[in-house]
Structure formats: C-alpha cells, structure tokens
Amino acid sequence: MDGNGRWATKRRLPRNTGHREGIKTMLGIVEHCQKLNIPFVSFYAFSTENKYRSKLEVSGLMSLMEEHLEAMADKLALLNRRLNVMGDISYFNPKLRSLIEDCVKNTQGFSGGVVNVALNYGGRDELNRAAKLMGKDEGIEKYLYTAGQPDPDMLIRTGGEKRLSNFMLYQLAYTELFFTDTFWPDFSIEELNEMIGEYNKRNRRFGK
Ligand code: FPP
C-alpha cells in the first residue's frame, strides 16, 4: 500500500492523513474482493522496517490502527471473513496488541474468506521463524503465517516502486506481479478490475 505519505504531502497534509485515507481504500478493496469472490486478500500494513520511521509517524500509525480495528472487525463480520495477522505483534503496545488479538479471536469462526494483514512483518523474519518451528519436519508451508492458504495469484504494488521489499518471499514464487504509479489512497476498484483483466490474459506456466 505504497504512496500514502506522498498522497498527503502532495496535498500539504500530514503523512498520517494519507495513512487514514489508505485505510478507507483498504476497506473498499476488501469489500470489492468479496463481490468478485476473491477469498484471500493480503495487505502489507507495517513492515519490520517501518518501525524505524519517525516517532511521530509510527505513533500516528499505531493510533490509526487502534482507531480502526473495531471498524475492521465489524466489516469482516459483515463479510463473513476472518482476520489473520502476519508478523510479530509483541512489538506493539499492550492496548493495540489486545485489540488485534480480539479482532482475530472474534472473526475466527467466519468461513467466507481471509484478510491477511501484515503487521511488523518481514518475509525473512517469517522464514527464519518457520525454520525454527519446523525443526527436522519437512515442508515449510505449514509454519508460515499463511499456513493452509493457497499462494497468491496476484501481487499489486502501488506508489511506483518495483520491488518486493521483503513481502511474502516464499509465497510469491510464481505470483503474477503488477505495479502502478498510483498512490495507494487513489487506488480504485476500476484500476483493480483492469489489472484482473490483464491477469486473465497472462499465461501462467509455473515453470512447466
Ligand atoms: C506505505 O506508504 C504505507 C504504510 C507504511 C502504512 C500502511 C498502513 C495502513 C494503511 C494502516 C493499516 C491499518 C489497519 C487497521 C490494519 P508510505 O508511507 O511508504 O508512503 P510513501 O511511499 O508515499 O512514503
């Protein structure tokens, strides 16, 4: 969800106003995915590196999450989807942590799909964690945060950057990649639909 900061700066607004708009976009996209019967949707909301941003921005992001988690839980309940958190949330303050845990707990029973939200997440961290958990077991998938889920068909990165930035390094092996200069708050249902149209034209061979 890149470009929240630049979206705000362009309008001479504080960066966190961009993140607030970003949350609205995120909820709208989840709702649209429901209409399209896309059962698994993932968002990279906070990376292991994002915590090294300015104190003001990090604490602003935490407050925004605190403010919006209940709305998120309500939306998920309405859509019959469960929240799955990817990442080490022990980093967050106890209040935010318990809000996240409640949202996960309260949506566990929902069977209509999953929204993965990466919070204090890094792909390398995920792989190191999985390696420790798996011990001598074979097959790393069941130790990833996405255990039991199919690999993503599409990855969309907004904001003009063309790299993975430590997101789902294992899961994205054969994923179709889409990049757009659009800032995340401006990312629209129309643009998503166009990308899905292009996805449908691509020939996926999975190396075969
Ligand atoms: C990237 O834009 C965006 C982020 C680092 C934060 C995204 C987080 C949210 C939308 C909040 C998630 C909320 C909940 C409730 C889970 P950027 O800041 O890197 O923008 P820039 O590329 O213009 O600098």
Side-chain angles (χ1 to χ4, degrees), residues 85 87-94 97 100-101 119-120 145:
V85 171
D88 176 12
I89 62 165
S90 67
Y91 163 76
F92 297 119
N93 66 57
R97 208 160 60 215
I100 297 169
E101 283 161 356
L119 295 171
N120 194 27
Y145 291 117

Side-chain angles (χ1 to χ4, degrees), residues 1-7 15 19 22-23 26 44-46 50 53 57 61 64-65 68-69 72 117 119 161 184:
M1 296 188 279
D2 259 299
N4 291 345
R6 281 168 289 162
W7 181 94
R15 287 177 61 85
H19 295 315
I23 294 177
M26 183 177 168
Y44 202 174
F46 194 79
N50 286 157
R53 291 189 177 192
E57 184 166 353
L61 260 170
L64 274 179
M65 288 188 217
H68 288 86
L69 267 159
M72 175 90 100
V117 180
L119 295 171
E161 252 79 58
W184 175 253

